[in-house]
Amino acid sequence: MPSFDIVSKVDPQTLENAVNTAKKELQTRYDLRDTKGGIELDKKTNVITLTSENDMRIRALEDIVLTRLVKQGIDGTALDFTEEAHASGTMMKKAVKVRAGIDKDAGRKIIKAIKDAKVKVEAQMQDDQVRVSAKKIDELQAAIAVLRSADIGQPLQFVNMK
């Protein structure tokens, strides 16, 4: 029975390269030249920490990081900017999470989008991925087309097509 997996992952090396490029840009930008703080990546938790003196510069750092990630080929929806910046002494800090894996809410959205499209496939949640199976490969390709046009809120990759 043909099947494929839907995953959401970010290549750690590409992410690290994008953050390092953003750090270099921070050093060369004229409007951010005297900024204390910067951009740090925690590889274990996949969190990018932005620190600066005020909220305006935090937004500029967000823009730099997002631009560099997109230029490296990482989808911009992989970053979660929902957490607000908070004061830490004289500095402002903001933690930006890098989404990896499909959580239960996104999995439900994916399965609902497939069912609403009335494609003859079976979708089931397995840990941090969704497995889709069908009798024909054409139906799997139709499910992929539906998911590419749907707005799930995070980047999706389709792997292990069998």
Side-chain angles (χ1 to χ4, degrees):
M1 196 162 173
S3 67
F4 69 91
D5 295 332
I6 303 169
V7 297
S8 178
K9 58 185 174 184
V10 176
D11 180 35
Q13 185 62 47
T14 309
L15 178 65
E16 186 177 359
N17 289 345
V19 169
N20 288 338
T21 312
K23 286 179 184 178
K24 287 180 185 176
E25 183 178 337
L26 176 64
Q27 293 171 351
T28 60
R29 287 242 326 229
Y30 179 75
D31 58 340
L32 299 172
R33 184 166 295 165
D34 297 329
T35 301
K36 296 179 181 127
I39 304 167
E40 294 297 322
L41 171 65
D42 185 4
K43 296 177 192 174
K44 290 183 182 175
T45 59
N46 268 355
V47 174
I48 300 171
T49 306
L50 309 173
T51 55
S52 189
E53 292 93 10
N54 57 34
D55 199 41
M56 181 193 74
R57 288 190 175 168
I58 291 285
R59 285 194 300 272
L61 292 177
E62 285 177 6
D63 185 47
I64 291 171
V65 169
L66 185 61
T67 304
R68 290 296 152 199
L69 258 69
V70 170
K71 284 187 178 180
Q72 290 281 342
I74 298 174
D75 194 343
T77 57
L79 297 179
D80 183 13
F81 289 109
T82 56
E83 186 176 317
E84 291 296 318
H86 61 278
S88 175
T90 59
M91 303 291 276
M92 297 285 286
K93 279 190 176 185
K94 182 168 185 172
V96 179
K97 293 179 184 164
V98 180
R99 294 183 182 131
I102 297 175
D103 59 347
K104 292 194 184 294
D105 292 334
R108 284 190 205 111
K109 285 181 185 178
I110 291 169
I111 293 170
K112 184 177 182 333
I114 292 172
K115 285 185 179 181
D116 289 348
K118 296 192 169 54
V119 181
K120 295 180 183 176
V121 296
E122 273 186 42
Q124 55 192 355
M125 190 76 188
Q126 294 180 344
D127 293 331
D128 62 345
Q129 65 183 15
V130 176
R131 169 136 318 151
V132 180
S133 56
K135 292 183 180 179
K136 296 180 182 176
I137 291 182
D138 293 341
E139 293 166 351
L140 292 179
Q141 291 173 341
I144 290 173
V146 166
L147 290 173
R148 286 187 197 266
S149 64
D151 181 27
I152 304 300
Q154 67 186 91
L156 299 176
Q157 292 89 29
F158 308 101
V159 296
N160 296 335
M161 183 81 130
K162 297 175 190 169

